[in-house]
Amino acid sequence: TDRLTVSLSARIDDPDDYAAETTLRAGLAYEIGHGLILSGTWGQGFKTPTISQTLCDFCFSFSPYPVLTPERAQGFDLGLAWRSVDGAAGLRATAYRLEVEDEISFFFDVGAFESYYVNLARTRSTGVEVQGDVTLPGGLALRAAYAWTDAENALTGERLLRLPEHAGTVSLDWSHGPLRAGLTLRGESDQLDVGGMREGFITGRISAGYALSEAAELTLRIENLTDEAYQEVFGYGEPGRTAYLGLRLRY
């Protein structure tokens, strides 16, 4: 209708090595008025082990590797979005819950010197995401996003790997004629990883561009602006301050 949108869908997966699985999904969006939109979705998921997981890359064990089964998931989210009449400002908040049966995770035992993929009987992720943007005078635009995630093994209460509890970005962009520039700050809290705890970090990036013509733009990007020593994944350091000069062509 003019104010309500509802969608329903079904998907059938029939892999060679596993039984066929049917998953369902439903969603709706309702325009409340005054720039407000209420939305929600519910859905199921099905995912077979990847080739890497099946072949057990980077695995080592004195006993046979566990036989993996497909993942099955069910989740929902509820969101409220607002946009000003002139379109210059917007805000959205979304809450969600995701439960997965037989989630595939990498297991590493330092003492026994064994590593392999295993199925976790049941995991649960609960979170809230907030994002907003506003157009400012002078060709400026400000955007920000934040996510809180509580991801755990539903049976043991242990945190899941490589999922920080807090993550966010803030960006300030400027444009005037052929010129554009932007500053982005991104941060993540500590996260559990294979072999240890990866520390949280905050890093910055500057980007700029000058349009030589409608088809060509000279670009400049500086990553890790403060030359921070940080890791995206535990044990794998990221480069220090790095500059990139480029030419972008559009055809």
Side-chain angles (χ1 to χ4, degrees):
T1 68
D2 291 340
R3 304 179 68 176
L4 178 66
T5 300
V6 178
S7 63
L8 301 171
S9 64
R11 172 188 171 115
I12 299 177
D13 289 270
D14 190 10
D16 291 339
D17 297 332
Y18 303 95
E21 186 82 8
T22 301
T23 53
L24 306 175
R25 181 178 176 86
L28 65 85
Y30 179 71
E31 295 186 20
I32 301 174
H34 305 288
L36 291 170
I37 298 179
L38 179 67
S39 62
T41 63
W42 170 87
Q44 299 172 317
F46 174 77
K47 175 181 173 295
T48 60
T50 65
I51 295 176
S52 175
Q53 293 166 345
T54 302
L55 298 178
C56 212
D57 290 350
F58 309 108
C59 296
F60 181 82
S61 176
F62 296 101
S63 58
Y65 302 134
V67 177
L68 299 176
T69 60
E71 300 176 342
R72 291 171 172 81
Q74 181 171 274
F76 69 89
D77 63 70
L78 184 63
L80 182 63
W82 170 80
R83 174 64 61 181
S84 62
V85 177
D86 60 1
L91 184 65
R92 179 178 179 85
T94 304
Y96 70 90
R97 166 66 69 88
L98 174 67
E99 296 185 350
V100 183
E101 294 183 0
D102 296 321
E103 179 171 338
I104 299 173
S105 180
F106 192 72
F107 174 79
F108 180 63
D109 188 332
V110 178
F113 196 64
E114 290 187 323
S115 60
Y116 45 82
Y117 291 97
V118 296
N119 284 108
L120 303 180
R122 188 166 71 252
T123 64
R124 178 173 54 241
S125 298
T126 305
V128 176
E129 298 177 351
V130 181
Q131 60 188 56
D133 63 88
V134 59
T135 301
L136 303 172
L140 293 171
L142 179 65
R143 295 176 296 167
Y146 166 76
W148 170 77
T149 305
D150 181 20
E152 63 179 8
N153 186 317
L155 299 184
T156 65
E158 296 179 348
R159 290 173 60 179
L160 298 184
L161 300 179
R162 297 179 179 174
L163 288 171
E165 185 176 6
H166 305 280
T169 61
V170 178
S171 299
L172 181 63
D173 297 313
W174 171 81
S175 62
H176 180 74
L179 292 170
R180 64 172 181 86
L183 171 64
T184 299
L185 299 178
R186 181 173 67 91
E188 293 184 2
S189 62
D190 298 348
Q191 71 175 20
L192 183 65
D193 209 324
V194 176
M197 182 71 70
R198 190 221 63 185
E199 295 183 356
F201 65 87
I202 297 177
T203 183
R205 178 185 67 187
I206 286 180
S207 61
Y210 178 75
L212 302 174
S213 66
E214 293 184 358
E217 181 186 32
L218 187 65
T219 64
L220 172 66
R221 188 173 84 252
I222 302 177
E223 299 283 357
N224 196 0
L225 187 61
T226 59
D227 202 25
E228 178 80 8
Y230 73 100
Q231 300 175 2
E232 294 273 4
V233 179
F234 180 75
Y236 295 85
E238 295 295 324
R241 185 186 299 112
T242 310
Y244 300 86
L245 182 64
L247 180 64
R248 178 182 291 117
L249 301 176
R250 299 180 178 90
Y251 297 96

